[in-house]
Amino acid sequence: MINVEQWAEIRRLHRAEGVPIKEISRRLGIARNTVRTALASAEPPNYQRAKRGSVADAFEPEIRKLLREYPRMPATVIAERIGWKNSISTLKNRVAQIRPEYTSVDPVDRLIHEPGQAAQMDLWFPEPRIPVGFGQSMMLPVLVMTLSYSRVFNALMIPSRQAGDLTAGMWSLINNVGAVPKSLIWDRESAIGGKGKVTEAAAAFAGTLATRIILAPPRDPEFKGQTERNNQFLETSFLPGRKFASPQDFNKQLIEWLPVANARTVRSIQGRPIDRLPTDLAAMTVLPPMPPVTGFSHRVRISRDYYVRLDRNDYSVHPSMIGRLVDFTLTMDRVIGVCDQQVVADHPRCWAKHQVITDPEHVQVAATLRSAFNRLRRTAAENVRGEVVESRQLSEYDRIFGLNDHDFRGDPS
């Protein structure tokens, strides 16, 4: 069974590059029927076999420490420095896997940007704290996407840097563009590839869009320098003189300003990004027929306290769901709970933290259910108090059991 990364690569090769099934099978060493199954599946595979441990696992921090300072150090020298006593082949294989993360990158190839090939993604953290309600203000991330060829860029403030919000933000920006770049270039953002490997959530997102995520080498800001420069452009050209009442107000002002920014002349391309956009779009992959899975999904059993904690806030649920399992979906705007295809909770998502979000209807229903329960309890208590317990004389029990007074006296003789 293939894993999520293989599934994503198969879909990318076939849909974005037009590689035949036979060639994909040859390249990846996977049976043709497996390739066909992956292409027919709109969802990533759920099962992934757990990796077996290796004797090199315990030595990996020391290996990385040496490669960080000396990227070209031979594996035999590394073995001496870390006191390696096992098979040198095992160490060489592990070093070969890790070394590309620390070796230098040739920048010449990265400066040639073909239409539709890539979009650079980054997070920008504007200094002004944005009011998010309940008397709170927060420094929130802004997801910035720059198309490498046309230099058109788009941006959106999101609630957090968690995987669910990042994928939702990416889908919003890509959907607004109207086509899918063949590569999404990211740095080592923890929810995307903080450990040097694309996370499962990011790989599933990329596979659904038939694209791929490329992680920038460590300590190499020029790998995605275009979007880094756009972050600075936002800092100096968008922020000054502006005030924001909420994240929604921030995004509204940003959406109104972006067409002006993309219509400016960019010296590196000797033209306007908006004029190069049609060429960029023509080389991209079409949007998928079904949107990718984004946001957060949770299944929670509702307790007597008919609230559920999601992303640091408590949201009310219809009290009739107490004791039942409810599936919750968090988007950037809504928190929705569903049970048996029925919506039992629907709230605007709170961007603040440690708040209680209540639907007044849920409180009324809870009061009605509580009153009905108390009436039943009082009725049961009154019935118990009203019961008449029949009593008998002790002599009646003697008669029933055939006992006489002399049975309890001693022999008179």
Side-chain angles (χ1 to χ4, degrees):
M1 182 177 181
I2 61 173
N3 56 32
V4 175
E5 290 78 7
Q6 292 172 319
W7 172 82
E9 180 66 7
I10 290 171
R11 290 173 60 83
R12 183 192 71 82
L13 290 172
H14 189 71
R15 295 193 60 192
E17 304 294 340
V19 179
I21 291 176
K22 182 178 180 180
E23 176 62 16
I24 295 174
S25 174
R26 187 191 67 78
R27 288 189 191 181
L28 303 183
I30 298 173
R32 297 181 195 176
N33 286 340
T34 304
V35 174
R36 293 188 183 97
T37 302
L39 293 174
S41 175
E43 297 181 356
N46 294 324
Y47 173 78
Q48 186 173 2
R49 187 182 299 277
K51 292 184 178 180
R52 297 178 59 184
S54 170
V55 292
D57 292 341
F59 294 86
E60 184 166 327
E62 291 298 321
I63 296 172
R64 289 184 176 275
K65 183 178 179 180
L66 292 171
L67 289 177
R68 190 175 295 116
E69 295 184 13
Y70 310 101
R72 299 295 180 183
M73 179 179 287
T76 52
V77 179
I78 293 176
E80 295 175 3
R81 299 290 178 85
I82 65 176
W84 181 261
K85 302 298 183 182
N86 300 291
S87 170
I88 192 63
S89 298
T90 303
L91 180 63
K92 286 183 176 179
N93 291 336
R94 180 57 59 92
V95 172
Q97 294 174 6
I98 299 175
R99 192 187 301 279
E101 300 177 25
Y102 300 96
T103 53
S104 59
V105 177
D106 181 8
V108 176
D109 293 338
R110 301 298 178 183
L111 296 178
I112 301 174
H113 302 289
E114 298 294 336
Q117 290 299 313
Q120 298 182 10
M121 315 292 296
D122 196 23
L123 291 178
W124 168 51
F125 293 87
E127 290 186 0
R129 292 186 173 271
I130 309 298
V132 292
F134 302 94
Q136 298 182 21
S137 296
M138 302 175 65
M139 180 181 289
L140 295 169
V142 176
L143 179 61
V144 183
M145 180 181 75
T146 303
L147 302 181
S148 298
Y149 173 77
S150 65
R151 305 299 199 273
V152 168
F153 78 101
N154 206 341
L156 180 71
M157 179 168 279
I158 57 178
S160 74
R161 57 200 299 182
Q162 300 178 74
D165 287 330
L166 289 178
T167 54
M170 283 194 290
W171 171 241
S172 179
L173 297 179
I174 291 172
N175 194 42
N176 287 340
V177 168
V180 184
K182 294 181 179 179
S183 298
L184 303 176
I185 301 175
W186 267 96
D187 57 14
R188 302 301 176 92
E189 181 65 32
S190 59
I192 301 297
K195 296 183 178 180
K197 179 182 178 181
V198 178
T199 62
E200 185 169 335
F205 174 84
T208 303
L209 269 63
T211 185
R212 63 176 173 177
I213 293 178
I214 298 176
L215 298 179
R219 301 179 301 280
D220 188 2
E222 282 303 315
F223 194 85
K224 55 182 186 63
Q226 293 174 2
T227 195
E228 297 280 359
R229 288 188 284 275
N230 279 332
N231 290 355
Q232 184 63 31
F233 181 61
L234 286 163
E235 193 81 36
T236 57
S237 300
F238 172 69
L239 280 185
R242 294 180 182 269
K243 294 183 179 180
F244 309 103
S246 65
Q248 292 73 26
D249 181 43
F250 183 98
N251 283 331
K252 179 177 180 295
Q253 295 188 45
L254 184 58
I255 291 172
E256 293 172 351
W257 176 82
L258 282 170
V260 177
N262 286 319
R264 77 194 191 282
T265 299
V266 177
R267 184 175 57 183
S268 61
I269 61 174
Q270 296 297 310
R272 303 190 310 165
I274 194 67
D275 295 334
R276 293 165 61 102
L277 181 60
T279 304
D280 224 353
L281 292 175
M284 293 184 189
T285 307
V286 298
L287 293 173
M290 295 292 293
V293 176
T294 61
F296 305 90
S297 297
H298 299 279
R299 171 168 287 188
V300 182
R301 189 177 297 279
I302 308 304
S303 63
R304 286 184 59 199
D305 176 16
Y306 51 95
Y307 286 79
V308 60
R309 178 157 297 176
L310 301 168
D311 190 30
R312 303 175 300 179
N313 292 302
D314 294 339
Y315 296 88
S316 68
V317 186
H318 198 285
S320 63
M321 295 295 107
I322 291 175
R324 302 183 64 181
L325 289 171
V326 177
D327 293 314
F328 290 92
T329 300
L330 278 75
T331 68
M332 289 193 295
D333 303 316
R334 308 296 300 178
V335 175
I336 300 174
V338 176
C339 182
D340 293 336
Q341 300 182 344
Q342 178 183 359
V343 176
V344 296
D346 188 356
H347 301 275
R349 183 173 175 183
C350 178
W351 289 37
K353 56 184 179 180
H354 310 312
Q355 300 301 317
V356 178
I357 314 301
T358 303
D359 186 334
E361 180 184 352
H362 296 167
V363 177
Q364 295 177 2
V365 173
T368 301
L369 293 175
R370 192 179 301 110
S371 298
F373 178 80
N374 289 334
R375 284 197 301 271
L376 290 174
R377 186 166 58 181
R378 285 195 299 270
T379 301
E382 290 172 358
N383 290 339
V384 171
R385 287 195 299 269
E387 288 181 357
V388 178
V389 180
E390 184 178 356
S391 59
R392 295 175 180 268
Q393 296 292 332
L394 293 178
S395 59
E396 287 293 319
Y397 290 99
D398 294 340
R399 183 181 63 78
I400 292 172
F401 292 103
L403 301 177
N404 297 316
D405 289 343
H406 64 79
D407 293 328
F408 300 95
R409 299 172 186 156
D411 188 351
S413 61

